[in-house]
Amino acid sequence: MTAPGIDTQVLVVGAGPVGLMLAGELRLGGAGVTVLEQLAAPTTESRASTLHARTMEILEQRGLAEELGDPPNGGPGHFGGIALDLTLPGPYPGQWKVPQARTEELLAGWATGLGAELRRGHRVVGITDRGDHVEVEVEVAAATPPSAGGGGPTSRRLRAQYVVGCDGEESIVRRLAGFPFPGEDATKELLRADIAGIDVPNRRFERHPRGLAIASRGPTGITRVMAHGYGTPARPRTEAPSFEEVTRLWADITGEDISGGTPVWLNAFGNARRQVSRYRMGRVLLAGDAAHRQMPVGGQALNLGLQDAVNLGWKLAAHLRGTGLLDSYHAERHPVGRRVLGNIAAQALLLLGGQDVEELRSVFRGLIGLPEARAHLAGMISGLDVRYDMAGGGEGEHPLLGARLPAYRLHTAAGPAGTLGLLRSGRGVLLDLGKDPALAAAARRWADGRVTHVRAEAEPGCRGPEFGAALVRPDGHLAWIDGTPADLDAALRRWFGAPNPGTGTPAPRHRA
Ligand SMILES: Cc1cc2nc3c(=O)[nH]c(=O)nc-3n(C[C@H](O)[C@H](O)[C@H](O)COP(=O)(O)OP(=O)(O)OC[C@H]3O[C@@H](n4cnc5c(N)ncnc54)[C@H](O)[C@@H]3O)c2cc1C
């Protein structure tokens, strides 16, 4: 329920993939949400194209993976341009090719289908945290643009209980709300172009004496080229590079002339690295590129942001209902972001260094060949190894506590089920393979739409869970495993709030 004088419970700024994912998650948690997007229509700009294994699992959790059909496997990954097999046990081994525009279309349909309001042509220009609500100033584009005889933008003021900036790396929310954003500017850069009408060999991180060259011809005949001249510093840019700059660099590195092609898209990106020191300031939060800027290498930027959204959505919705775990968003996601930015910085050194990093690359190549080292890096890049601190990491802690619920085939009262599918409604799940009557009694006190008690058995012939019972948060992370009833009660209270005295009692009211 929206408080008097409040237009919406949560205003999400930005309908990129992160804002759309967050909007859907908030709706699943029962929060009212409006998404403000400055663009009148979705962008068709060529951006990220890789979804990693953990993101695919998250999409399956919400019933969205199947809508992607059968996306092509992206083949082996890399670490700093050194081939790295990303496959790990799970339903989505490796990396998957899905154009960002398709991911956004899918998430927009899902979020609005769940009741999120998406307002395009709405540019946020002011934000004031009033303590008990946030006031947002918006410029609304006229339905008919001035070029077609319409008027200019009009101003509007909206009030929300919380605002989340998902407005990308130049985030105005971050700037207006005054989030410190420490880090480093780019020192090196890659030029990138999508070009029609050229015929150059495909190259994967080809190292030449003067620079790095990458080329890949897509199914439509357009070739994406990327190039970096060793020792060339990043240039301060306010615009995309010219086609001539790209062709000159390409010729310098490879000796090939691609100037006869037609550029479809030109872009430069560097190794800038920044992360806000707090993901929340009062009633304003940040997620995705707004919270962290990184070089888009190995397809981690988009995946990291989507996982921010899935961590935040249910917590903010629960906070609005009166349970106070919102600050665990920063506590959990800031370290994950810092680690990803760290691995990207290491990759940038290996990738964009010249002759001086050849020996380091050679040592690294040897290490990646060791199964444990490979699995370690694959876990980090795929997002599968994220493990939140649930109980202080004490001795004897179950190795899966805080990790994501692995995919198992189970048999439930409703028939065969995959564990990921149990999370479709966005509720917590008490997964009970032991039929301990004490668990059912505990779960009943949260069975008001917050936690679903699922009794299950391992599917005959399939690998079953390595536990008798577990509490799964709506984001798929395991908050309690095989502990005492008192520990379960504490975990349920921590993540889902105070119990209701009996089944069917309404959940706590939304807080103002
Ligand atoms: C040119 C480019 C190329 C990229 N290439 C790759 C790649 O090859 N691989 C990779 O992994 N990643 C790549 N990325 C990064 C990847 O696209 C991002 O990590 C991802 O889009 C982050 O999603 P987001 O939702 O946080 O932000 P964004 O996708 O940037 O979405 C932010 C949204 O907020 C809107 N917005 C901004 N300001 C306002 C405002 N004041 N009011 C209202 N709305 C606003 C924007 O219009 C936009 O729709 C690229 C990014 C860019 C910009």
Side-chain angles (χ1 to χ4, degrees):
M1 201 177 63
T2 311
I6 294 294
D7 297 291
T8 183
Q9 287 189 307
V10 184
L11 268 178
V12 172
V13 183
V18 176
L20 293 168
M21 183 94 227
L22 178 64
E25 292 291 309
L26 284 163
R27 285 302 303 139
L28 276 185
V33 54
T34 302
V35 184
L36 303 176
E37 168 56 52
Q38 62 185 358
L39 300 178
T43 176
T44 52
E45 218 177 37
S46 171
R47 292 189 175 187
S49 59
T50 300
L51 296 182
H52 284 297
R54 179 58 189 148
T55 302
M56 293 297 287
E57 289 185 357
I58 284 171
L59 294 177
E60 185 179 332
Q61 280 176 189
R62 301 299 185 240
L64 296 168
E66 61 206 43
E67 292 196 37
L68 288 176
D70 202 3
N73 188 302
H78 73 95
F79 192 90
I82 300 168
L84 170 67
D85 175 4
L86 289 171
T87 55
L88 288 172
Y92 300 99
Q95 53 180 346
W96 304 87
K97 287 297 176 200
V98 181
Q100 186 168 326
R102 174 67 189 117
T103 305
E104 288 180 19
E105 180 190 41
L106 175 70
L107 294 174
W110 174 65
T112 52
L114 286 169
E117 190 185 346
L118 171 54
R119 295 190 195 169
R120 293 196 166 276
H122 282 57
R123 190 160 76 91
V124 170
V125 293
I127 289 182
T128 312
D129 187 340
R130 299 274 181 211
D132 61 349
H133 70 276
V134 190
E135 224 167 73
V136 175
E137 221 178 297
V138 189
E139 262 181 26
V140 185
T144 313
S147 56
T154 51
S155 269
R156 272 203 70 184
R157 218 170 265 271
L158 293 173
R159 289 163 166 227
Q161 284 167 266
Y162 283 85
V163 168
V164 188
C166 300
D167 49 342
E169 61 179 24
E170 301 301 334
S171 171
I172 193 168
V173 176
R174 184 180 67 221
R175 187 156 51 78
L176 292 174
F179 282 84
F181 194 38
E184 292 117 44
D185 291 330
T187 54
K188 300 176 181 180
E189 67 177 356
L190 280 123
L191 303 190
R192 165 163 63 172
D194 286 353
I195 308 173
I198 58 168
D199 188 14
V200 296
N202 280 344
R203 301 177 161 95
R204 208 164 181 242
F205 307 109
E206 198 171 82
R207 293 174 68 79
H208 293 254
R210 294 173 67 81
L212 174 76
I214 301 158
S216 144
R217 193 178 169 90
T220 58
I222 289 177
T223 302
R224 170 166 291 187
V225 299
M226 288 194 249
H228 166 72
Y230 297 138
T232 311
R235 286 178 47 183
R237 292 179 188 275
T238 50
E239 289 183 354
S242 68
F243 184 46
E244 201 218 332
E245 190 182 354
V246 175
T247 59
R248 220 181 320 115
L249 179 63
W250 189 261
D252 187 43
I253 294 170
T254 66
E256 291 169 357
D257 180 7
I258 54 171
S259 62
T262 306
V264 179
W265 182 65
L266 295 155
N267 169 250
F269 63 94
N271 60 343
R273 169 192 183 192
R274 290 186 178 273
Q275 186 183 22
V276 288
S277 38
R278 301 282 319 159
Y279 278 28
R280 174 189 176 192
M281 284 176 65
R283 288 180 174 267
V284 183
L285 299 105
L286 299 176
D289 279 10
H292 36 74
R293 172 176 296 178
Q294 57 282 307
M295 183 165 123
V297 62
Q300 293 180 88
L302 168 65
N303 290 270
L304 179 64
L306 290 174
Q307 289 161 36
D308 288 344
V310 174
N311 186 283
L312 174 59
W314 69 280
K315 290 178 180 174
L316 181 50
H319 179 77
L320 288 161
R321 288 198 309 270
T323 58
L325 40 71
L326 185 55
D327 282 329
S328 71
Y329 169 58
H330 168 83
E332 292 184 344
R333 292 307 295 173
H334 189 275
V336 172
R338 192 173 54 220
R339 186 163 177 252
V340 170
L341 264 59
N343 94 51
I344 291 176
Q347 295 198 60
L349 286 174
L350 288 167
L351 189 65
L352 306 180
Q355 203 51 44
D356 49 324
V357 298
E358 279 309 328
E359 293 305 332
L360 180 61
R361 291 178 62 83
S362 161
V363 169
F364 224 90
R365 205 172 289 113
L367 287 174
I368 285 181
L370 302 176
E372 253 187 72
R374 180 204 73 79
H376 173 78
L377 292 176
M380 188 158 68
I381 289 175
S382 62
L384 290 174
D385 76 349
V386 170
R387 191 173 169 210
Y388 302 127
D389 182 4
M390 296 287 170
E395 225 175 277
E397 195 174 281
H398 195 289
L400 282 178
L401 189 64
R404 105 282 189 209
L405 172 67
Y408 304 112
R409 292 298 308 163
L410 298 176
H411 202 84
T412 68
T419 39
L420 301 182
L422 299 177
L423 292 158
R424 191 153 300 188
S425 66
R427 295 176 182 176
V429 171
L430 182 61
L431 185 53
D432 175 0
L433 290 107
K435 300 198 177 73
D436 177 350
L439 293 184
R444 218 172 294 125
R445 300 164 72 209
W446 279 266
D448 54 10
R450 289 179 287 174
V451 178
T452 310
H453 180 207
V454 177
R455 285 213 173 110
E457 288 169 4
E459 188 83 328
C462 296
R463 184 176 74 104
E466 298 91 345
F467 49 74
L471 178 63
V472 193
R473 303 191 319 191
D475 61 357
H477 283 261
L478 293 159
W480 170 90
I481 301 177
D482 288 343
T484 63
D487 288 345
L488 173 60
D489 188 79
L492 283 161
R493 284 172 192 272
R494 177 178 178 198
W495 296 110
F496 298 98
N500 273 320
T503 322
T505 320
R509 288 159 61 89
H510 278 72
R511 66 166 74 173

